[in-house]
Amino acid sequence: MAQPITRVGIVGCGLMGSGIAEVCARAGYTVIVREVSREQLAAGLARIDGSLDRAVARGKLAAAERDAARSRIIGATDLSAFADCDLVVEAVAENLELKRRVFAELDAAAPRHALLASNTSSLAIIEMAAATDRPAQVLGLHFMQPVPVMPLLEIVRTFLTSDETLEAAQAFAARLGKTSVVCKDSPGFIVNRLLIPYLLHAIDALEKGIATKEDFDAAIKLGLNHPMGPFTLLDYIGLDTILFIADAVFDETKDARFAAPPLLRRMVSAGYLGRKNGRGFYDYTSQ
Ligand code: CAA
């Protein structure tokens, strides 16, 4: 039996890390969130504050619950802050060398019993497990965007992840109020294995002039009852993120379904990244 999880460490307090920290704190865990500088930590904690305030304003959370959740979040700039954590979730930039370095450092900083997880959307978990001396305790915990809203957590097990680690991760997901699915450490896991070819196909069809982006979006939204059509979703996730995942899976598999269409690469080169910087397939500069 793995030790029960009570303290959760999060490495990185960007969009994903701050969302993960928030859902953990709302579920009652003590959360230690680490950023590389005081400035980035302050920005990450401010993002959490904004999201908690939004939940209160929407009547999703009582003000007292917000304050209790916030009081459970401790900011840090040093990995030594993870010395008492039972689980550490890595949510740094999607760069394998960086992640391998973080996992080697976590292996030294976190207690021997702690589980180490990556929130990567496309990199192989075994690469990070191999940077530690505890590969049986390493797994993927892939949260969806926006983390506080999406009810799914993908749990990714390598062929070295133990049954105890998997069970502890499933219990953790349940306590967060997420439904978990289990997937082999394989390119794209479940969601991106299906989602990325669909989104790339939409861009290819747009380039071929099959229909306008507005009509593709209307067709999928109204015809299939999806919350967003493909071009709204591409902008929402971020075109650079989509390109990164497509390239990572293509590099590993040479599967043509993951070959990025020229338009996507050119848009990213031109700085059209989606909602995050105000322009992608649609223009958000006036919002
Ligand atoms: N943080 C917290 N809460 C948020 C939020 C955020 N960033 N964005 C929206 N919400 C909440 C709102 O508070 C609202 O709750 P109530 O209706 O209960 O008050 C609810 O979500 C709906 O929000 P809105 O009314 O503002 O907007 P919407 O109805 O258009 O929904 C959406 C927004 C939830 C993002 C919805 O459009 C949606 O589900 N889109 C698809 C998202 C998706 O597919 N995500 C997965 C991406 S793939 C991925 O993440 C994996 C990967 O590796 C790329």
Side-chain angles (χ1 to χ4, degrees), residues 70-188:
R70 188 60 186 80
S71 73
R72 287 191 280 271
I73 300 175
I74 302 158
T77 51
D78 199 302
L79 288 179
S80 60
F82 296 138
D84 295 326
C85 286
D86 310 299
L87 163 68
V88 181
V89 184
E90 166 278 312
V92 304
E94 291 282 72
N95 173 315
L96 185 56
E97 274 326 298
L98 171 65
K99 286 186 192 278
R100 285 178 54 84
R101 200 163 60 240
V102 167
F103 270 76
E105 288 169 5
L106 286 177
D107 200 30
R112 192 68 201 84
H113 74 271
L115 308 185
L116 304 180
S118 174
N119 178 55
T120 183
S121 55
S122 55
L123 298 172
I125 304 300
I126 196 70
E127 296 274 3
M128 294 160 235
T132 74
D133 282 330
R134 60 179 94 186
Q137 291 158 242
V138 176
L139 75 166
L141 288 178
H142 183 214
F143 289 80
M144 305 293 128
Q145 225 180 296
V147 179
V149 180
M150 302 305 279
L152 181 74
L153 181 58
E154 281 188 310
I155 299 179
V156 184
R157 77 179 300 184
T158 74
F159 61 93
L160 297 179
T161 307
S162 69
D163 290 343
E164 290 76 16
T165 298
L166 178 64
E167 284 158 24
Q170 287 170 315
F172 173 68
R175 173 138 171 224
L176 296 185
K178 306 282 186 200
T179 297
S180 60
V181 290
V182 179
C183 177
K184 273 197 216 169
D185 182 26
S186 52

Side-chain angles (χ1 to χ4, degrees), residues 20 32 44 57 61-62 75 106-107 118 139 148 166 207 222 230 240 261:
I20 299 167
I32 292 92
L61 193 68
L106 286 177
D107 200 30
S118 174
L139 75 166
L166 178 64
E207 265 191 301
L222 304 178
D240 51 341

Side-chain angles (χ1 to χ4, degrees), residues 11 26 28 32 52 62 64 86 95 97 114 124 134-135 151 153 182 198 218 231 235 239 248 254 256 262 277 284:
V11 195
R26 284 173 69 167
I32 292 92
L52 287 169
D86 310 299
N95 173 315
E97 274 326 298
R134 60 179 94 186
L153 181 58
V182 179
Y198 154 70
F231 294 100
D235 281 354
L239 303 193
K254 307 293 181 261
N277 72 343
Y284 305 90

